[in-house]
Amino acid sequence: MTLHRRSFLAALAGAGGVGMAAAVRAAGVGPADALSQGPAGQAPALPMPPPLTAGSRLVAIAPGTWWEDPESEQTSLEARIASAGWELLVPPATRLRWHWFSGTDRQRCLAWEQAIGDQRAEGVLAVTAGWGSARLLESGWQPPPRPIWLMGFSDASALLLAQCAAGLGGAIHGGLHGDAGQWQRLVHLLRRQPVDPLQGQGWRSGITEGPLVVTNLTVATHLIGTAWLPDLRGRIVVFEDVGEAPYRVDRMLTQWRSAGLLAGVAGIGLGRFQWTPDDVMPGDLSMEEVLRERLGDLGIPLVGRLPVGHGRPNLALPLGHRARLDGGAGTLALL
C-alpha cells in the first residue's frame, strides 16, 4: 500500500499518552510491570499467547487507511488462513470509509474492542496500513485482556508497540501477503514452532540476547513521550522504514540519541530503508552511511540489511520474544 508520509506524520504527531496509562492500569498491568528489568539488567520476555490450533479464529481489522482492494485481498487471505486450518472473521467495519480512514477514529477503535472482546478470537490481523493507527491509541484504545496474537507492520507498528508496552506478548511484525515462504514463517510463529534465523550483514561485532522490539522508525519516533513506546533497555531493537530520505532518518535517530532512548539497548538490527533517490542531494550521506554513523558508536552489536519491512520478503518477527543478535555473523535468531 502506498504511504502518504507527510500526512501520516501530521496525523501521528498529536497522539498523547493519557489513554494508554489509564488502559494499562485498568488491565492490571502497570507501567512498572511492563518496563521492569530482569536479573543482572536482562529484560524479561513477555508472556505469549497459546499456539494456534485447528479451528482457531482470527479477526481482521482496518486500523488506519481504508482497505483499497478488499475483495481480492480478503479472498486470498481467507484461502491462506483456511489452508492453515484456521477461521478468519472479517467484520463489516473493515470496509468502512471516512476521509482517508477506514471509518472514524471511534469506529475503528470500536472494531478493535469487539475483536479483542470476542472470546473465541485468538488473534487480530491488521489488514491495512497507510496512516491512522496511532489515532486509536488516543481514542480509548485498551490493551487485550489477555495475551493475543496481533499481526501487522508499517503504520500498525503503533498498535504492536502499545501492546508490548502494556506488558503483553503476541504482537508480530510482518506482512500478511508475500510468497509462500514468508507466509509459512508466520504460520510457524503462530503455532509457536521454530523458524530459521534471519540473515543480514554484520556492521558491528558482538553477540547479545534479549526480547525483541520491532517497529517502523517513523511510527515509533512519533510515540516518543507517550506511554505507548516500550522501554528498550535490555531489548534487541529492529528498525525499518519507507519513504524517508537519509537526512530525515538522521534527524530521527539523532532525536532517539538525544532523548537517551538507545542507552541500555542490547543490540540493534536494521531492516529495509527505502526512499526516493531524488531526495538525496550531492554531498549527502547515503542511507547506509547515516545508519552506520548514528548507530555504530553505541558499543553494541549492529546488524544491517535484514529481510524485514517494506518490500519482499518481509519476514515476521515477534515482539517480546527472546532472540540472539550476532553482529559478527550478521544473524538474528529466535531462542
Side-chain angles (χ1 to χ4, degrees):
M1 179 177 293
T2 301
L3 294 180
H4 297 265
R5 180 62 68 188
R6 289 172 178 80
S7 300
F8 173 52
L9 294 180
L12 289 183
V18 176
M20 173 61 183
V24 295
R25 285 196 298 270
V29 182
D33 300 320
L35 306 180
S36 62
Q37 300 296 299
Q42 294 183 357
L46 297 179
M48 292 291 171
L52 296 188
T53 57
S56 290
R57 172 181 288 180
L58 302 172
V59 181
I61 64 169
T65 300
W66 46 264
W67 204 354
E68 291 187 81
D69 187 15
E71 286 77 16
S72 63
E73 289 188 5
Q74 179 176 334
T75 299
S76 173
L77 191 55
E78 285 176 333
R80 282 189 155 179
I81 296 293
S83 69
W86 309 326
E87 170 194 356
L88 179 64
L89 178 64
V90 183
T94 59
R95 301 193 180 205
L96 293 177
R97 291 192 181 187
W98 177 74
H99 295 283
W100 190 251
F101 305 117
S102 57
T104 65
D105 294 349
R106 185 55 200 149
Q107 285 173 325
R108 302 196 317 281
C109 193
L110 180 60
W112 163 260
E113 292 172 358
Q114 292 173 339
I116 64 173
D118 184 341
Q119 294 302 308
R120 283 198 54 206
E122 298 179 57
V124 177
L125 309 179
V127 296
T128 64
W131 106 84
S133 295
R135 295 172 63 126
L136 272 64
L137 301 178
E138 66 167 7
S139 299
W141 179 90
Q142 298 283 329
R146 64 196 185 284
I148 191 170
W149 298 110
L150 171 62
M151 288 142 282
F153 79 111
S154 191
D155 179 63
S157 293
L159 303 182
L160 305 181
L161 291 172
Q163 180 160 315
C164 184
L168 299 173
I172 295 181
H173 182 283
L176 300 175
H177 304 288
D179 63 19
Q182 176 177 310
W183 171 253
Q184 198 57 46
R185 178 183 176 89
L186 179 58
V187 170
H188 284 321
L189 288 175
L190 293 172
R191 289 175 174 165
R192 296 186 63 169
Q193 296 172 338
V195 294
D196 292 335
L198 300 189
Q199 182 66 58
Q201 185 179 84
W203 285 358
R204 191 181 189 283
S205 62
I207 299 175
T208 189
E209 295 181 3
L212 284 170
V213 175
V214 190
T215 183
N216 176 273
L217 175 63
T218 298
V219 173
T221 299
H222 286 81
L223 294 183
I224 291 175
T226 75
W228 302 310
L229 184 66
D231 188 343
L232 304 181
R233 290 172 295 175
R235 273 73 172 173
I236 295 172
V237 181
V238 179
F239 289 125
E240 63 86 31
D241 216 322
V242 65
E244 300 293 354
Y247 74 90
R248 291 197 291 268
V249 171
D250 183 285
R251 285 173 174 167
M252 286 187 278
L253 292 177
T254 299
Q255 181 179 357
W256 283 75
R257 291 168 63 100
S258 299
L261 295 175
L262 299 180
V265 168
I268 294 178
L270 299 167
R272 292 186 193 84
F273 281 75
Q274 299 180 347
W275 74 99
T276 304
D278 290 346
D279 282 339
V280 181
M281 302 297 291
D284 282 357
L285 294 173
S286 69
M287 183 66 77
E288 182 169 322
E289 287 173 330
V290 167
L291 296 173
R292 284 177 176 268
E293 194 278 332
R294 292 283 75 194
L295 301 172
D297 64 348
L298 298 176
I300 56 178
L302 178 64
V303 174
R305 300 185 182 181
L306 290 168
V308 174
H310 295 77
R312 304 288 174 86
N314 179 14
L315 300 184
L317 289 171
L319 280 72
H321 194 290
R322 198 160 186 84
R324 177 183 294 116
L325 185 72
D326 187 331
T331 57
L332 176 62
L334 301 182
L335 300 178

